Amino acid sequence: MMEEFNAAELEKRIGYTFHNKKMLKQAMCHSSYANEHRVEGLHDNERLEFLGDAVLEVASSDFLYHQYPDMPEGKLTRLRASIVCEPTLALCARELDLGSFLLLGKGEVHTGGRYRNSIISDAMEALIGAIYLDGGFANAKEFVQRFVLTDIEHKKLFYDSKTILQEIVQRDFKKEEIKYVVTGEDGPDHAKHFTVEVHIGSETAGCGHGSTKKAAEQEAAYRAIIGLKGKSAGCI
């Protein structure tokens, strides 16, 4: 039996209603699930991911071109890369809780596939591709602007988040120490998933996930920076 897929709830979260519900389901169908359910004739999301990657690049390029009219090509390229990279797309996917809608094979479920950056970032791109095929470029572009091209100034800091957090703490919390604490570790050695909290003094400032401790620390620091700037950090 094919597991139940809540298309209506996902459509509510993304703000787009599909004409072809099968397209949405395919976007959430990982190859591991499709391989286990070949009798149902399911297709995985890899082709949609390929298409969504291209749509994302065009939509983000168009947005940045108009948003930063005086920025030279080299800086635009680097900015786009920081926004559409795997870790950043995974952050966006977690904010939608996209992992909970993924159709995964049993092995991927047991090894933490719903939280793995590579899987949920691919699903994000597949979703963009599905929206493009179902509703055209305008709808796909609107989705990208709403769920990916947000908090750009913060996302530009993503790769250097640990250093920037250290600078902020030294400036504003001179007597406090930064400490990264692993609060969760799942999966086999070849597919680990880590959850890390960053503490400033005795307070939890942010939480991150990743396939390595370093990646999880990076996301935790990023969320701490957002929290310190007045937004909710949290642990998604």
Side-chain angles (χ1 to χ4, degrees), residues 201-215:
S202 61
E203 299 294 324
T204 301
C207 177
H209 305 271
S211 56
T212 66
K213 291 179 183 178
K214 182 178 179 180

Side-chain angles (χ1 to χ4, degrees), residues 57-109:
E57 183 163 330
V58 173
S60 58
S61 297
D62 177 79
F63 178 85
L64 295 175
Y65 180 87
H66 291 96
Q67 187 75 9
Y68 301 95
D70 300 320
M71 185 176 287
E73 181 269 342
K75 288 187 176 181
L76 283 171
T77 299
R78 289 191 293 273
L79 176 54
R80 182 183 63 196
S82 71
I83 293 170
V84 302
C85 65
E86 179 184 292
T88 307
L89 285 178
L91 279 174
C92 299
R94 287 195 182 96
E95 287 169 356
L96 285 167
D97 193 22
L98 208 58
S100 67
F101 295 93
L102 286 175
L103 297 171
L104 298 173
K106 294 178 181 178
E108 286 294 349
V109 170

Side-chain angles (χ1 to χ4, degrees), residues 33-54:
Y33 187 88
N35 290 335
E36 289 181 6
H37 296 79
R38 289 182 179 178
V39 67
E40 286 98 345
L42 289 178
H43 296 286
D44 63 43
N45 63 6
E46 291 179 359
R47 284 170 55 85
L48 287 175
E49 174 206 335
F50 164 80
L51 180 61
D53 176 67

Side-chain angles (χ1 to χ4, degrees), residues 4 16 27 30 43 88-89 128 133 138 157 182 200 209 216 236:
E4 185 177 349
Y16 177 78
H30 188 258
H43 296 286
T88 307
L89 285 178
I128 293 168
L133 288 179
L157 308 176
V182 177
I200 300 176
H209 305 271
I236 298 176

Side-chain angles (χ1 to χ4, degrees), residues 97-141:
D97 193 22
L98 208 58
S100 67
F101 295 93
L102 286 175
L103 297 171
L104 298 173
K106 294 178 181 178
E108 286 294 349
V109 170
H110 292 152
T111 57
R114 295 192 188 281
Y115 312 103
R116 195 169 302 131
N117 280 5
S118 59
I119 290 179
I120 60 176
S121 63
D122 287 350
M124 193 73 172
E125 290 181 332
L127 181 56
I128 293 168
I131 294 173
Y132 169 75
L133 288 179
D134 188 78
F137 182 72
N139 283 301
K141 181 179 178 182

